[in-house]
Structure formats: C-alpha cells, structure tokens
Amino acid sequence: MSDQIIARPELTAEKLRELLHYDPETGIFTRKVRTSSRIKIGDVAGCLSSRDGYLRIAVLSRDYLAHRLAWLYVYGNWPTDQIDHINRNRSDNRISNLREATNKQNQQNKSKPSNNTSGHTGVGWHKQCSKWVAQIAHNRKHLSLGCFATIEEAISARKAGELKYWGHHRAD
C-alpha cells in the first residue's frame, strides 16, 4: 500500500444535484439518495449547529454549510467570497436571502449587539452629556457622527453615515 494521500474530488453542482434536491423558495434540502440505513429518500438534509447557528449538511462524508451548497446548486459554481444572509437569520437559506459579499460587507450586516439600549445599531445614550450619540465603523476606525438631543436625529445621522461611508443602509 502506498503512503500517498488521495485527495477527495471537490463537490460539483452536478454531483450535488444528483444527491440532494434544493427548494429555492424554502431553502430546504432533501435527500434524493439513500446513503445509510438511517437516511431515507425525501429526508430533510442537515442539522443546525448549536455553536454558530448555521445549517450544515454532510455530502460524500464531508460537512458543508447549507448556504454555500444553495449557491452551488442554483448558480453552478462555488461562491468566490462569503455568503451573507440578508435578513441575518443564519438558518434561512432561501436563495433570495443569500448574496455574495466581502468580509467587510458581511460585517456591516451584523445584528445589533445584545447590550444595545436604543434598538438601533450605532446609536446610544451618552450619560455624561445626556444626549444621544451616533457612531459608525469604517476602515477599522470608529467614527463619531455627533451628539443629538433626540434619538430620531441620532438615527438619521447614523443612516446618513451608512450612505456616506458604506454606500448603502443596513438591512434593518
């Protein structure tokens, strides 16, 4: 026997379509092939990771992220960069909810921090000056967008900052 390592061939769209069915309206994958005594044709494929909230699917003895498989299934090629869930729900793999994104774009579409008290990303209450503040991150720097008497003014400043620095609003 040789000591040579045999590389597994990369999963292709054709092979994926032989093994799984993907419904782009629901984002659900189902099995087309019986791969073990436990797995039956028609079974929903994959399981939700408690670690990160992404759906993972085993195909040919290898785990894949379902959103990347959805991209391969629909477009016929692997995404060139990251896949962003537009509505921020990591288990919603409908093709209309997925888009290719750079790391920067993906980070801009993050959910509000759990300690956010205003309900709006980049807007918070500043105790010392008793005003609402707006801020934004751009090119790895935190930028102040100003202090405001009302939360509405701070939100407006934040949205203007998103257009100025990112070229778009968040998906709120």
Side-chain angles (χ1 to χ4, degrees):
M1 188 158 147
S2 171
D3 289 340
Q4 201 173 26
I5 296 174
I6 300 170
R8 284 184 277 184
E10 185 166 339
L11 181 63
T12 64
E14 294 76 26
K15 187 66 176 175
L16 176 63
R17 291 180 193 125
E18 284 176 26
L19 300 172
L20 297 173
H21 173 264
Y22 170 70
D23 182 343
E25 297 295 317
T26 64
I28 295 173
F29 282 91
T30 52
R31 300 280 178 185
K32 291 172 84 173
V33 176
R34 189 173 182 144
T35 56
S36 76
S37 60
R38 288 186 3 245
I39 296 174
K40 297 171 186 61
I41 295 172
D43 283 354
V44 173
C47 61
L48 201 59
S49 170
S50 60
R51 181 173 40 107
D52 59 16
Y54 288 111
L55 187 67
R56 297 175 186 276
I57 300 174
V59 180
L60 300 175
S61 302
R62 187 172 174 186
D63 279 349
Y64 292 93
L65 293 167
H67 55 278
R68 296 185 71 80
L69 289 177
W71 195 268
L72 176 64
Y73 193 100
V74 171
Y75 297 111
N77 54 8
W78 288 102
T80 56
D81 208 341
Q82 296 181 12
I83 297 294
D84 181 32
H85 289 81
I86 297 167
N87 69 3
R88 298 188 202 104
N89 179 347
R90 293 176 173 183
S91 63
D92 182 354
N93 294 307
R94 292 173 297 128
I95 201 67
S96 63
N97 187 46
L98 304 176
R99 63 181 170 202
E100 276 195 289
T102 63
N103 184 57
K104 182 177 180 179
Q105 292 166 329
N106 208 354
Q107 293 302 310
Q108 290 170 349
N109 194 29
K110 285 172 74 172
S111 297
K112 293 182 288 293
S114 60
N115 63 351
N116 180 298
T117 56
S118 71
H120 298 276
T121 301
V123 175
W125 181 253
H126 193 280
K127 285 183 184 178
Q128 287 80 6
C129 65
S130 295
K131 291 192 177 195
W132 291 98
V133 294
Q135 56 190 1
I136 195 166
H138 180 65
N139 290 336
R140 298 184 179 169
K141 293 181 183 174
H142 289 277
L143 305 173
S144 173
L145 301 172
C147 294
F148 304 91
T150 68
I151 190 171
E152 291 79 15
E153 292 173 311
I155 293 167
S156 179
R158 169 60 190 221
K159 288 183 178 180
E162 290 170 2
L163 281 176
K164 177 181 177 181
Y165 294 108
W166 299 348
H168 62 86
H169 287 305
R170 292 170 42 86
D172 286 340

